[in-house]
Each structure stands twice: as structure tokens, then as C-alpha cells.
Amino acid sequence: AQSVTQPDIHITVSEGASLELRCNYSYGATPYLFWYVQSPGQGLQLLLKYFSGDTLVQGIKGFEAEFKRSQSSFNLRKPSVHWSDAAEYFCAVGLPMYSGGGADGLTFGKGTHLIIQP
Amino acid sequence: EPEVTQTPSHQVTQMGQEVILRCVPISNHLYFYWYRQILGQKVEFLVSFYNNEISEKSEIFDDQFSVERPDGSNFTLKIRSTKLEDSAMYFCASTVGRAFYNEQFFGPGTRLTVL
């Protein structure tokens, strides 16, 4: 079965420092890849997604992610974090229908809680 | 900006009781979803719904669960007889069309506590 691993439960970063959140997936084919963010009391908001093509994708709020097929990874990065980036970050995958996956349900990682130090 | 809303934000119930979690998807969306997140665990897909019927469901979505779109705006998840292990955050989502290139918009969640 497909799975998503976010190895870091908590990450603390100083404001203005760079950020990288790790995500690895386990599946034979390349799934659709997503990063979501959840601020306290809010729903999950899509930051960016990868389907095909350029392996470096740009998202909202200055985030980017790089797909590396050889490492089955889709790490999220930001060059300079702001205090407002403190939130829970979720990596998720979806299987294309032609790969035998259901077209509907996303598979999520456990999330990484990002703490910003002043 | 349109958003998915969920009520209540927190529901406390006794084991064995029925609960209904409510969601109002974005108005022009056609596909609706429920996910849940048990504390400390992953967000898990439960069910998707389209054209007044279940499109897909996970193995978690057993006979204790049901979904309904009782009117043109609400989308509900019913748990018939709650168990302690049903305690979780339940997220509703909606999208304009099927397939993952249509973004799933999520609500803020309902925290269900079963005592």
C-alpha cells in the first residue's frame, strides 16, 4: 500500500532562517504529490502540488518543493521563514487512476509541526 | 473567498450515541470528502461522495458510518454508535471535479471526543 513518511514530528527554526521539511513516499509509480499547511483553527490549505514536468514546483507563501524520483522524496523548502509560517505541514500523495489507485482519497503523512523562534 | 465550513467545531458524546457532523462545501463544488485524524496519527481518507452516492470509501468507513447530502448545501457524516476509537478530528473537503488536479478544499475540522 502507498505510504507517506514525514520523519520530523517537530522542527524549530529561527525567523529569517531557511527551512526544509522532508517527505518520502512509498509507491512503485510516481503519484501526485502535495503539501498542505494547517494553521490553528483553520482547514488544510494547499501550498503546492506536483503532477509531472519540472521537478521544482513553486507554491504560495514563498514555498517551493523539489521532486526527486531516485529518492522518492518531495521536500518542502522556504529560503526565509516568517513567524506566520508556524503551523502544521502535511505531505500527501494521490494515485492516478491509471495506476490502479482510487481517484479520490489522498494519503497523508503524519505532519510536521513547525515552530518559529524569534 | 469561498470556504468549506464545518459544525460543530467540537463535539463531545457518550460511547454508543449517534453523532452527525455537518459540513457546508463550496457552492459550485461537486465532489465531497470526509477525512479523519486520530490524535498523533495521519490524516486518513474515509469517503468520497458524488451525485448523491458514495464514489469511493476506505476500509475505515464501515457500516457504522454513513454520509448524506440532505439538501443543496449540507454534507453530513453520521456515526451510528460511537466508539472510543472514533475520537478524532474529522475534516470535510470539496472539489469542483474528480481527479487530483482539482484542488481539494478542506474545512477547519470537527473534533469529536467520545467518552
Side-chain angles (χ1 to χ4, degrees):
Chain A
Q2 63 191 92
S3 66
V4 180
T5 302
Q6 293 181 249
D8 303 304
I9 299 173
H10 299 277
I11 281 190
T12 301
V13 177
S14 298
E15 190 170 14
S18 63
L19 170 71
E20 182 168 29
L21 302 182
R22 295 182 291 166
C23 173
N24 293 93
Y25 65 90
S26 172
Y27 191 69
T30 300
Y32 297 133
L33 298 159
F34 306 81
W35 275 99
Y36 282 84
V37 61
Q38 185 184 28
S39 299
Q42 305 294 313
L44 297 162
Q45 181 185 23
L46 181 66
L47 285 175
L48 46 76
K49 59 191 176 188
Y50 173 78
F51 293 150
S52 64
D54 192 346
T55 56
L56 184 64
V57 292
Q58 302 297 320
I60 62 171
K61 305 185 180 188
F63 285 92
E64 65 178 29
E66 185 172 14
F67 167 62
K68 292 186 178 179
R69 186 189 307 274
S70 61
Q71 299 176 17
S72 296
S73 70
F74 188 57
N75 293 348
L76 182 71
R77 301 195 294 246
K78 186 170 185 179
S80 176
V81 298
H82 185 261
W83 64 266
S84 60
D85 293 324
E88 192 82 16
Y89 290 80
F90 295 94
C91 181
V93 306
L95 282 184
M97 289 184 76
Y98 59 79
S99 295
D104 298 347
L106 294 170
T107 299
F108 284 84
K110 283 192 176 185
T112 297
H113 186 63
L114 176 63
I115 300 165
I116 306 296
Q117 278 184 336
Chain B
E1 185 175 328
E3 58 183 14
V4 176
T5 59
Q6 291 184 243
T7 55
S9 56
H10 191 189
Q11 172 95 43
V12 181
T13 190
Q14 296 291 325
M15 188 171 56
Q17 295 296 304
E18 174 183 287
V19 295
I20 296 176
L21 309 183
R22 291 182 167 80
C23 168
V24 179
I26 294 173
S27 62
N28 65 332
H29 286 188
L30 300 176
Y31 288 85
F32 315 113
Y33 311 82
W34 284 101
Y35 292 80
R36 79 172 185 191
Q37 184 182 28
I38 296 171
L39 189 63
Q41 298 188 24
K42 302 182 180 188
V43 176
E44 301 170 293
F45 168 73
L46 293 178
V47 66
S48 59
F49 190 86
Y50 169 71
N51 200 27
N52 280 321
E53 60 182 26
I54 289 174
S55 176
E56 181 187 351
K57 60 182 181 179
S58 72
E59 58 189 22
I60 301 169
F61 193 87
D62 61 22
D63 292 343
Q64 291 292 326
F65 293 91
S66 63
V67 289
E68 190 179 29
R69 188 152 163 83
D71 53 43
S73 60
N74 289 283
F75 177 51
T76 62
L77 174 69
K78 181 192 293 185
I79 308 175
R80 223 176 310 280
S81 177
T82 50
K83 303 186 278 262
L84 295 176
E85 53 265 38
D86 293 327
S87 294
M89 181 73 89
Y90 288 81
F91 294 104
C92 174
S94 69
T95 185
V96 293
R98 210 179 185 192
F100 294 112
Y101 45 79
N102 293 298
E103 178 181 346
Q104 293 187 17
F105 290 82
F106 285 80
T110 292
R111 180 165 297 284
L112 176 65
T113 302
V114 182
L115 303 176

